[in-house]
Amino acid sequence: ESVAPQVQGYSENLIVHPLAGELVTRSVVDDLLTRAAGVDAVICGPGLGDSESTRAAVRALLNGYDGRAVIDADALSVVPEVDTDATLVCTPHQGELVGMGGPNADDRKQLADGVAEFAADLGHTLLVKGARDIISDGETTRISRTGNPGMTVGGTGDVLAGVVGALLATEPPRAAAAVGAYVTGRAGDLAADAVGESLVATDLLDRLPEAFVTDE
């Protein structure tokens, strides 16, 4: 609730539900679980913060949630610690992947094999962001080759989490992750063609409808 008015004032398109307090803590988990029960998919992590009280809240949320969720950013480190009934798509970059206990390899095939093995161990789908995104649920691994260096700007990972979350509401986890990676990268490529090196994350939003359209 301490930042809700500022977020509400950013855009009339945003629906904001204030939570009590200054941080996300265990005291708001019941409220979050009630809200989560009324939606098809949840995104947890972007902008969350990594205080221990917030990590405890994420653990409690995942322990009590059995729906579909995209886990990103500060929430990722909690995933290996919990045994959840939720269906998760985790979207780490390579540094976050290592922080979760995952593989670290320079060779692309070795990294892809390691991601598949780690996804199988976790029991969740991984979308590892990089120059070539790696998507695996432990059984099938795919590589997305869309995207460009300009997408390293802050905020593009949040767009990706949103796209994957929207797809996860209706699609299986691996498909949501693979299509989300491809479409977000394609939107980034279309935006880069239009604005060049001045690319910012919000440029991707305007390109997403075009990125979803194919000629096939």
Side-chain angles (χ1 to χ4, degrees), residues 30-88:
D30 288 344
D31 187 5
L32 289 172
L33 286 170
T34 298
R35 296 186 188 280
V39 300
D40 295 308
V42 167
I43 301 168
C44 178
L48 187 66
D50 60 355
S51 71
E52 181 50 41
S53 60
T54 297
R55 286 168 48 85
V58 175
R59 283 192 289 268
L61 176 67
L62 293 180
N63 281 328
Y65 182 58
D66 62 1
R68 297 180 170 202
V70 176
I71 307 298
D72 187 34
D74 294 321
L76 287 164
S77 62
V78 175
V79 172
E81 304 172 3
V82 297
D83 183 14
T84 179
D85 291 329
T87 299
L88 305 183

CSV table of all heavy atoms in Angstrom, one decimal, residues 30-88:
chain,number,residue,atom,x,y,z
A,30,ASP,N,-2.2,-14.8,2.9
A,30,ASP,CA,-3.6,-15.2,2.8
A,30,ASP,C,-4.4,-14.4,1.8
A,30,ASP,O,-5.2,-14.9,1.1
A,30,ASP,CB,-4.3,-15.2,4.2
A,30,ASP,CG,-3.8,-16.3,5.2
A,30,ASP,OD1,-3.2,-17.2,4.7
A,30,ASP,OD2,-4.0,-16.1,6.4
A,31,ASP,N,-4.1,-13.1,1.8
A,31,ASP,CA,-4.8,-12.2,0.9
A,31,ASP,C,-4.3,-12.6,-0.5
A,31,ASP,O,-5.2,-12.7,-1.5
A,31,ASP,CB,-4.4,-10.7,1.2
A,31,ASP,CG,-5.1,-9.7,0.3
A,31,ASP,OD1,-6.0,-10.1,-0.5
A,31,ASP,OD2,-4.8,-8.5,0.4
A,32,LEU,N,-3.0,-12.8,-0.7
A,32,LEU,CA,-2.5,-13.2,-2.0
A,32,LEU,C,-3.1,-14.5,-2.5
A,32,LEU,O,-3.5,-14.7,-3.7
A,32,LEU,CB,-1.0,-13.3,-2.0
A,32,LEU,CG,-0.3,-12.0,-1.9
A,32,LEU,CD1,1.2,-12.2,-1.7
A,32,LEU,CD2,-0.5,-11.1,-3.1
A,33,LEU,N,-3.2,-15.5,-1.6
A,33,LEU,CA,-3.8,-16.8,-2.0
A,33,LEU,C,-5.2,-16.7,-2.4
A,33,LEU,O,-5.7,-17.3,-3.3
A,33,LEU,CB,-3.6,-17.8,-0.9
A,33,LEU,CG,-2.2,-18.3,-0.6
A,33,LEU,CD1,-2.1,-19.1,0.7
A,33,LEU,CD2,-1.7,-19.2,-1.8
A,34,THR,N,-6.0,-15.8,-1.7
A,34,THR,CA,-7.4,-15.6,-2.0
A,34,THR,C,-7.5,-15.0,-3.4
A,34,THR,O,-8.3,-15.4,-4.2
A,34,THR,CB,-8.1,-14.7,-1.0
A,34,THR,OG1,-8.0,-15.3,0.3
A,34,THR,CG2,-9.5,-14.4,-1.4
A,35,ARG,N,-6.7,-14.0,-3.7
A,35,ARG,CA,-6.7,-13.4,-5.0
A,35,ARG,C,-6.2,-14.4,-6.1
A,35,ARG,O,-6.8,-14.4,-7.2
A,35,ARG,CB,-5.8,-12.1,-5.0
A,35,ARG,CG,-6.3,-11.0,-4.1
A,35,ARG,CD,-5.5,-9.8,-4.3
A,35,ARG,NE,-5.8,-8.8,-3.3
A,35,ARG,CZ,-6.9,-8.0,-3.3
A,35,ARG,NH1,-7.7,-8.1,-4.3
A,35,ARG,NH2,-7.1,-7.1,-2.3
A,36,ALA,N,-5.2,-15.2,-5.8
A,36,ALA,CA,-4.7,-16.1,-6.8
A,36,ALA,C,-5.7,-17.2,-7.1
A,36,ALA,O,-5.7,-17.6,-8.3
A,36,ALA,CB,-3.4,-16.8,-6.2
A,37,ALA,N,-6.6,-17.5,-6.2
A,37,ALA,CA,-7.6,-18.5,-6.5
A,37,ALA,C,-8.6,-18.1,-7.5
A,37,ALA,O,-9.3,-18.9,-8.1
A,37,ALA,CB,-8.3,-18.9,-5.2
A,38,GLY,N,-8.7,-16.8,-7.7
A,38,GLY,CA,-9.7,-16.3,-8.7
A,38,GLY,C,-9.1,-15.9,-10.0
A,38,GLY,O,-9.8,-15.4,-10.9
A,39,VAL,N,-7.9,-16.3,-10.3
A,39,VAL,CA,-7.3,-16.0,-11.6
A,39,VAL,C,-6.7,-17.3,-12.2
A,39,VAL,O,-6.6,-18.3,-11.6
A,39,VAL,CB,-6.2,-15.0,-11.5
A,39,VAL,CG1,-6.7,-13.7,-11.0
A,39,VAL,CG2,-5.0,-15.4,-10.6
A,40,ASP,N,-6.4,-17.3,-13.5
A,40,ASP,CA,-5.9,-18.4,-14.2
A,40,ASP,C,-4.3,-18.6,-14.1
A,40,ASP,O,-3.8,-19.7,-14.3
A,40,ASP,CB,-6.2,-18.4,-15.7
A,40,ASP,CG,-7.7,-18.4,-15.9
A,40,ASP,OD1,-8.4,-19.3,-15.4
A,40,ASP,OD2,-8.3,-17.5,-16.6
A,41,ALA,N,-3.6,-17.5,-13.9
A,41,ALA,CA,-2.2,-17.6,-13.7
A,41,ALA,C,-1.6,-16.5,-12.9
A,41,ALA,O,-2.3,-15.4,-12.9
A,41,ALA,CB,-1.5,-17.7,-15.1
A,42,VAL,N,-0.5,-16.7,-12.3
A,42,VAL,CA,0.1,-15.7,-11.4
A,42,VAL,C,1.5,-15.4,-11.9
A,42,VAL,O,2.2,-16.4,-12.3
A,42,VAL,CB,0.1,-16.2,-9.9
A,42,VAL,CG1,1.0,-15.3,-9.0
A,42,VAL,CG2,-1.3,-16.2,-9.4
A,43,ILE,N,2.0,-14.2,-11.7
A,43,ILE,CA,3.4,-13.9,-12.0
A,43,ILE,C,4.0,-13.4,-10.7
A,43,ILE,O,3.4,-12.4,-10.1
A,43,ILE,CB,3.6,-12.8,-13.1
A,43,ILE,CG1,3.0,-13.3,-14.4
A,43,ILE,CG2,5.1,-12.5,-13.3
A,43,ILE,CD1,2.9,-12.2,-15.4
A,44,CYS,N,5.1,-14.0,-10.2
A,44,CYS,CA,5.7,-13.6,-8.9
A,44,CYS,C,7.2,-13.3,-9.1
A,44,CYS,O,7.9,-14.2,-9.6
A,44,CYS,CB,5.5,-14.8,-7.9
A,44,CYS,SG,6.2,-14.5,-6.3
A,45,GLY,N,7.6,-12.2,-8.7
A,45,GLY,CA,9.0,-11.9,-8.7
A,45,GLY,C,9.5,-10.5,-9.1
A,45,GLY,O,10.3,-9.9,-8.4
A,46,PRO,N,9.0,-10.0,-10.3
A,46,PRO,CA,9.5,-8.7,-10.7
A,46,PRO,C,9.3,-7.6,-9.7
A,46,PRO,O,8.2,-7.4,-9.3
A,46,PRO,CB,8.7,-8.5,-12.0
A,46,PRO,CG,8.4,-9.9,-12.5
A,46,PRO,CD,8.1,-10.6,-11.3
A,47,GLY,N,10.4,-6.9,-9.3
A,47,GLY,CA,10.2,-5.8,-8.4
A,47,GLY,C,9.9,-6.2,-7.0
A,47,GLY,O,9.7,-5.4,-6.1
A,48,LEU,N,10.0,-7.5,-6.7
A,48,LEU,CA,9.6,-8.0,-5.4
A,48,LEU,C,10.5,-7.6,-4.2
A,48,LEU,O,10.0,-7.3,-3.1
A,48,LEU,CB,9.5,-9.5,-5.4
A,48,LEU,CG,8.9,-10.2,-4.2
A,48,LEU,CD1,7.4,-9.9,-4.1
A,48,LEU,CD2,9.0,-11.8,-4.4
A,49,GLY,N,11.8,-7.7,-4.4
A,49,GLY,CA,12.7,-7.4,-3.4
A,49,GLY,C,13.2,-8.8,-2.8
A,49,GLY,O,12.5,-9.8,-2.9
A,50,ASP,N,14.4,-8.8,-2.2
A,50,ASP,CA,15.0,-10.0,-1.7
A,50,ASP,C,15.2,-10.1,-0.2
A,50,ASP,O,16.1,-10.8,0.3
A,50,ASP,CB,16.3,-10.3,-2.5
A,50,ASP,CG,17.3,-9.3,-2.2
A,50,ASP,OD1,17.0,-8.2,-1.6
A,50,ASP,OD2,18.4,-9.4,-2.7
A,51,SER,N,14.5,-9.3,0.6
A,51,SER,CA,14.6,-9.4,2.0
A,51,SER,C,14.2,-10.8,2.5
A,51,SER,O,13.4,-11.4,1.8
A,51,SER,CB,13.8,-8.3,2.7
A,51,SER,OG,12.4,-8.6,2.6
A,52,GLU,N,14.7,-11.2,3.6
A,52,GLU,CA,14.3,-12.5,4.1
A,52,GLU,C,12.8,-12.6,4.4
A,52,GLU,O,12.2,-13.7,4.2
A,52,GLU,CB,15.1,-12.9,5.4
A,52,GLU,CG,14.8,-14.2,6.0
A,52,GLU,CD,14.9,-15.4,4.9
A,52,GLU,OE1,15.8,-15.3,4.1
A,52,GLU,OE2,14.0,-16.2,4.9
A,53,SER,N,12.2,-11.5,4.9
A,53,SER,CA,10.8,-11.6,5.2
A,53,SER,C,10.0,-11.8,3.9
A,53,SER,O,8.9,-12.5,3.9
A,53,SER,CB,10.3,-10.3,5.9
A,53,SER,OG,10.6,-9.1,5.1
A,54,THR,N,10.4,-11.2,2.8
A,54,THR,CA,9.8,-11.4,1.5
A,54,THR,C,10.0,-12.8,1.0
A,54,THR,O,9.1,-13.4,0.4
A,54,THR,CB,10.3,-10.3,0.5
A,54,THR,OG1,9.9,-9.0,1.0
A,54,THR,CG2,9.6,-10.5,-0.9
A,55,ARG,N,11.2,-13.3,1.1
A,55,ARG,CA,11.5,-14.7,0.7
A,55,ARG,C,10.6,-15.7,1.5
A,55,ARG,O,10.1,-16.6,0.9
A,55,ARG,CB,13.0,-15.0,0.9
A,55,ARG,CG,13.9,-14.4,-0.1
A,55,ARG,CD,15.4,-14.5,0.4
A,55,ARG,NE,15.7,-15.9,0.8
A,55,ARG,CZ,16.1,-16.8,0.0
A,55,ARG,NH1,16.2,-16.6,-1.4
A,55,ARG,NH2,16.4,-18.0,0.4
A,56,ALA,N,10.4,-15.4,2.8
A,56,ALA,CA,9.5,-16.2,3.6
A,56,ALA,C,8.1,-16.2,3.1
A,56,ALA,O,7.4,-17.2,3.1
A,56,ALA,CB,9.6,-15.8,5.0
A,57,ALA,N,7.7,-15.0,2.6
A,57,ALA,CA,6.3,-14.9,2.1
A,57,ALA,C,6.2,-15.7,0.8
A,57,ALA,O,5.1,-16.3,0.5
A,57,ALA,CB,6.0,-13.4,1.8
A,58,VAL,N,7.2,-15.7,-0.1
A,58,VAL,CA,7.1,-16.4,-1.3
A,58,VAL,C,7.1,-17.9,-1.0
A,58,VAL,O,6.3,-18.7,-1.6
A,58,VAL,CB,8.4,-16.1,-2.2
A,58,VAL,CG1,8.4,-17.0,-3.5
A,58,VAL,CG2,8.3,-14.6,-2.6
A,59,ARG,N,7.9,-18.4,0.0
A,59,ARG,CA,7.8,-19.8,0.4
A,59,ARG,C,6.4,-20.2,0.8
A,59,ARG,O,5.9,-21.2,0.4
A,59,ARG,CB,8.8,-20.0,1.5
A,59,ARG,CG,10.3,-20.2,1.0
A,59,ARG,CD,11.2,-20.7,2.1
A,59,ARG,NE,11.4,-19.8,3.2
A,59,ARG,CZ,12.4,-18.9,3.2
A,59,ARG,NH1,13.3,-18.9,2.2
A,59,ARG,NH2,12.5,-18.0,4.2
A,60,ALA,N,5.8,-19.3,1.6
A,60,ALA,CA,4.5,-19.6,2.1
A,60,ALA,C,3.4,-19.6,1.0
A,60,ALA,O,2.5,-20.4,1.0
A,60,ALA,CB,4.1,-18.6,3.2
A,61,LEU,N,3.6,-18.6,0.1
A,61,LEU,CA,2.7,-18.6,-1.1
A,61,LEU,C,2.8,-19.8,-1.9
A,61,LEU,O,1.7,-20.4,-2.3
A,61,LEU,CB,3.0,-17.3,-1.9
A,61,LEU,CG,2.2,-17.2,-3.2
A,61,LEU,CD1,0.8,-16.9,-2.9
A,61,LEU,CD2,2.8,-16.1,-4.1
A,62,LEU,N,4.0,-20.3,-2.2
A,62,LEU,CA,4.1,-21.5,-3.1
A,62,LEU,C,3.7,-22.7,-2.3
A,62,LEU,O,3.2,-23.7,-2.9
A,62,LEU,CB,5.6,-21.6,-3.5
A,62,LEU,CG,6.1,-20.5,-4.5
A,62,LEU,CD1,7.5,-20.8,-4.9
A,62,LEU,CD2,5.2,-20.5,-5.8
A,63,ASN,N,3.9,-22.8,-1.0
A,63,ASN,CA,3.4,-23.9,-0.2
A,63,ASN,C,1.9,-24.0,-0.2
A,63,ASN,O,1.4,-25.1,-0.1
A,63,ASN,CB,3.9,-23.8,1.2
A,63,ASN,CG,5.4,-24.2,1.3
A,63,ASN,OD1,5.8,-25.1,0.6
A,63,ASN,ND2,6.1,-23.6,2.2
A,64,GLY,N,1.2,-22.9,-0.4
A,64,GLY,CA,-0.2,-22.9,-0.3
A,64,GLY,C,-0.9,-22.8,-1.6
A,64,GLY,O,-2.2,-22.8,-1.7
A,65,TYR,N,-0.2,-22.7,-2.7
A,65,TYR,CA,-0.8,-22.5,-4.0
A,65,TYR,C,-0.7,-23.7,-4.9
A,65,TYR,O,0.4,-24.4,-4.9
A,65,TYR,CB,0.0,-21.3,-4.7
A,65,TYR,CG,-0.6,-20.9,-6.0
A,65,TYR,CD1,-1.9,-20.5,-6.2
A,65,TYR,CD2,0.3,-20.8,-7.2
A,65,TYR,CE1,-2.4,-20.1,-7.4
A,65,TYR,CE2,-0.2,-20.4,-8.4
A,65,TYR,CZ,-1.5,-20.0,-8.5
A,65,TYR,OH,-2.0,-19.6,-9.8
A,66,ASP,N,-1.7,-24.0,-5.6
A,66,ASP,CA,-1.7,-25.2,-6.5
A,66,ASP,C,-2.1,-24.9,-7.9
A,66,ASP,O,-2.4,-25.7,-8.7
A,66,ASP,CB,-2.6,-26.3,-6.0
A,66,ASP,CG,-4.1,-25.9,-5.9
A,66,ASP,OD1,-4.4,-24.7,-6.3
A,66,ASP,OD2,-4.9,-26.7,-5.5
A,67,GLY,N,-2.0,-23.6,-8.3
A,67,GLY,CA,-2.3,-23.2,-9.7
A,67,GLY,C,-1.1,-23.0,-10.5
A,67,GLY,O,-0.1,-23.6,-10.3
A,68,ARG,N,-1.2,-22.2,-11.5
A,68,ARG,CA,-0.1,-21.9,-12.5
A,68,ARG,C,0.6,-20.6,-12.2
A,68,ARG,O,-0.1,-19.6,-11.9
A,68,ARG,CB,-0.6,-21.9,-13.9
A,68,ARG,CG,-1.3,-23.2,-14.3
A,68,ARG,CD,-1.8,-23.2,-15.8
A,68,ARG,NE,-2.2,-24.5,-16.3
A,68,ARG,CZ,-2.2,-24.8,-17.6
A,68,ARG,NH1,-1.9,-23.9,-18.5
A,68,ARG,NH2,-2.6,-26.0,-17.9
A,69,ALA,N,1.9,-20.6,-12.3
A,69,ALA,CA,2.6,-19.3,-11.9
A,69,ALA,C,3.9,-19.2,-12.7
A,69,ALA,O,4.6,-20.3,-13.0
A,69,ALA,CB,2.9,-19.3,-10.5
A,70,VAL,N,4.2,-18.0,-13.1
A,70,VAL,CA,5.6,-17.7,-13.6
A,70,VAL,C,6.4,-17.1,-12.5
A,70,VAL,O,5.9,-16.2,-11.8
A,70,VAL,CB,5.5,-16.6,-14.8
A,70,VAL,CG1,6.9,-16.2,-15.2
A,70,VAL,CG2,4.7,-17.2,-15.9
A,71,ILE,N,7.6,-17.7,-12.3
A,71,ILE,CA,8.4,-17.2,-11.2
A,71,ILE,C,9.7,-16.6,-11.8
A,71,ILE,O,10.4,-17.2,-12.6
A,71,ILE,CB,8.9,-18.4,-10.3
A,71,ILE,CG1,7.6,-19.2,-9.8
A,71,ILE,CG2,9.7,-17.9,-9.1
A,71,ILE,CD1,6.7,-18.4,-8.9
A,72,ASP,N,9.9,-15.3,-11.4
A,72,ASP,CA,11.0,-14.5,-12.0
A,72,ASP,C,11.8,-13.8,-11.0
A,72,ASP,O,11.3,-13.7,-9.8
A,72,ASP,CB,10.3,-13.6,-13.1
A,72,ASP,CG,11.4,-12.8,-13.9
A,72,ASP,OD1,12.4,-13.4,-14.2
A,72,ASP,OD2,11.1,-11.6,-14.2
A,73,ALA,N,12.9,-13.3,-11.4
A,73,ALA,CA,13.7,-12.3,-10.6
A,73,ALA,C,13.9,-12.8,-9.1
A,73,ALA,O,14.4,-13.9,-8.9
A,73,ALA,CB,13.0,-10.9,-10.6
A,74,ASP,N,13.5,-11.9,-8.1
A,74,ASP,CA,13.9,-12.2,-6.8
A,74,ASP,C,13.2,-13.4,-6.2
A,74,ASP,O,13.6,-13.9,-5.1
A,74,ASP,CB,13.5,-11.0,-5.9
A,74,ASP,CG,14.4,-9.7,-6.2
A,74,ASP,OD1,15.6,-9.9,-6.5
A,74,ASP,OD2,13.9,-8.6,-6.2
A,75,ALA,N,12.1,-13.9,-6.8
A,75,ALA,CA,11.4,-15.1,-6.3
A,75,ALA,C,12.1,-16.4,-6.7
A,75,ALA,O,11.8,-17.4,-6.1
A,75,ALA,CB,10.0,-15.1,-6.7
A,76,LEU,N,13.0,-16.3,-7.6
A,76,LEU,CA,13.5,-17.6,-8.2
A,76,LEU,C,14.3,-18.4,-7.2
A,76,LEU,O,14.3,-19.6,-7.2
A,76,LEU,CB,14.5,-17.2,-9.4
A,76,LEU,CG,13.7,-16.8,-10.7
A,76,LEU,CD1,14.7,-16.2,-11.6
A,76,LEU,CD2,13.1,-18.0,-11.3
A,77,SER,N,15.1,-17.7,-6.3
A,77,SER,CA,15.9,-18.5,-5.4
A,77,SER,C,15.2,-19.3,-4.4
A,77,SER,O,15.7,-20.2,-3.8
A,77,SER,CB,16.8,-17.5,-4.6
A,77,SER,OG,16.1,-16.6,-3.8
A,78,VAL,N,13.9,-19.0,-4.2
A,78,VAL,CA,13.1,-19.8,-3.3
A,78,VAL,C,12.6,-21.1,-3.9
A,78,VAL,O,12.4,-22.1,-3.1
A,78,VAL,CB,11.8,-18.9,-2.9
A,78,VAL,CG1,10.9,-19.7,-2.0
A,78,VAL,CG2,12.3,-17.7,-2.2
A,79,VAL,N,12.5,-21.2,-5.2
A,79,VAL,CA,11.9,-22.4,-5.8
A,79,VAL,C,12.5,-23.7,-5.4
A,79,VAL,O,11.8,-24.7,-5.1
A,79,VAL,CB,11.9,-22.2,-7.4
A,79,VAL,CG1,11.4,-23.5,-8.0
A,79,VAL,CG2,11.0,-21.1,-7.8
A,80,PRO,N,13.9,-23.8,-5.4
A,80,PRO,CA,14.5,-25.1,-5.0
A,80,PRO,C,14.2,-25.5,-3.6
A,80,PRO,O,14.4,-26.7,-3.2
A,80,PRO,CB,16.0,-24.9,-5.3
A,80,PRO,CG,16.1,-23.8,-6.2
A,80,PRO,CD,14.9,-22.9,-5.9
A,81,GLU,N,13.8,-24.5,-2.7
A,81,GLU,CA,13.6,-24.8,-1.3
A,81,GLU,C,12.2,-25.3,-1.0
A,81,GLU,O,12.0,-25.8,0.2
A,81,GLU,CB,13.8,-23.5,-0.5
A,81,GLU,CG,15.1,-22.8,-0.7
A,81,GLU,CD,15.2,-21.4,-0.1
A,81,GLU,OE1,14.2,-21.1,0.6
A,81,GLU,OE2,16.2,-20.8,-0.2
A,82,VAL,N,11.3,-25.2,-1.9
A,82,VAL,CA,9.9,-25.6,-1.6
A,82,VAL,C,9.4,-26.8,-2.4
A,82,VAL,O,9.8,-27.1,-3.5
A,82,VAL,CB,8.9,-24.4,-1.9
A,82,VAL,CG1,9.3,-23.2,-1.0
A,82,VAL,CG2,8.9,-24.0,-3.3
A,83,ASP,N,8.4,-27.5,-1.8
A,83,ASP,CA,7.8,-28.6,-2.4
A,83,ASP,C,6.3,-28.1,-2.6
A,83,ASP,O,5.5,-28.2,-1.7
A,83,ASP,CB,7.8,-29.8,-1.5
A,83,ASP,CG,7.2,-31.1,-2.2
A,83,ASP,OD1,6.9,-31.0,-3.4
A,83,ASP,OD2,6.9,-32.0,-1.5
A,84,THR,N,6.1,-27.6,-3.8
A,84,THR,CA,4.8,-27.0,-4.1
A,84,THR,C,4.0,-27.8,-5.1
A,84,THR,O,4.5,-28.6,-5.9
A,84,THR,CB,5.0,-25.6,-4.7
A,84,THR,OG1,3.7,-25.0,-5.0
A,84,THR,CG2,5.8,-25.6,-6.0
A,85,ASP,N,2.6,-27.7,-4.9
A,85,ASP,CA,1.7,-28.4,-5.9
A,85,ASP,C,1.4,-27.5,-7.1
A,85,ASP,O,0.7,-27.9,-8.0
A,85,ASP,CB,0.4,-28.7,-5.2
A,85,ASP,CG,0.5,-29.8,-4.2
A,85,ASP,OD1,1.4,-30.7,-4.3
A,85,ASP,OD2,-0.2,-29.8,-3.2
A,86,ALA,N,2.0,-26.3,-7.1
A,86,ALA,CA,1.8,-25.3,-8.2
A,86,ALA,C,2.6,-25.8,-9.5
A,86,ALA,O,3.6,-26.5,-9.4
A,86,ALA,CB,2.3,-23.9,-7.8
A,87,THR,N,2.1,-25.4,-10.6
A,87,THR,CA,2.7,-25.6,-11.9
A,87,THR,C,3.5,-24.4,-12.2
A,87,THR,O,2.9,-23.3,-12.4
A,87,THR,CB,1.7,-25.9,-13.0
A,87,THR,OG1,1.0,-27.1,-12.7
A,87,THR,CG2,2.4,-26.1,-14.3
A,88,LEU,N,4.9,-24.5,-12.3
A,88,LEU,CA,5.7,-23.3,-12.4
A,88,LEU,C,6.4,-23.2,-13.7
A,88,LEU,O,6.9,-24.3,-14.2
A,88,LEU,CB,6.7,-23.2,-11.2
A,88,LEU,CG,6.2,-23.3,-9.8
A,88,LEU,CD1,7.4,-23.2,-8.8
A,88,LEU,CD2,5.2,-22.3,-9.6
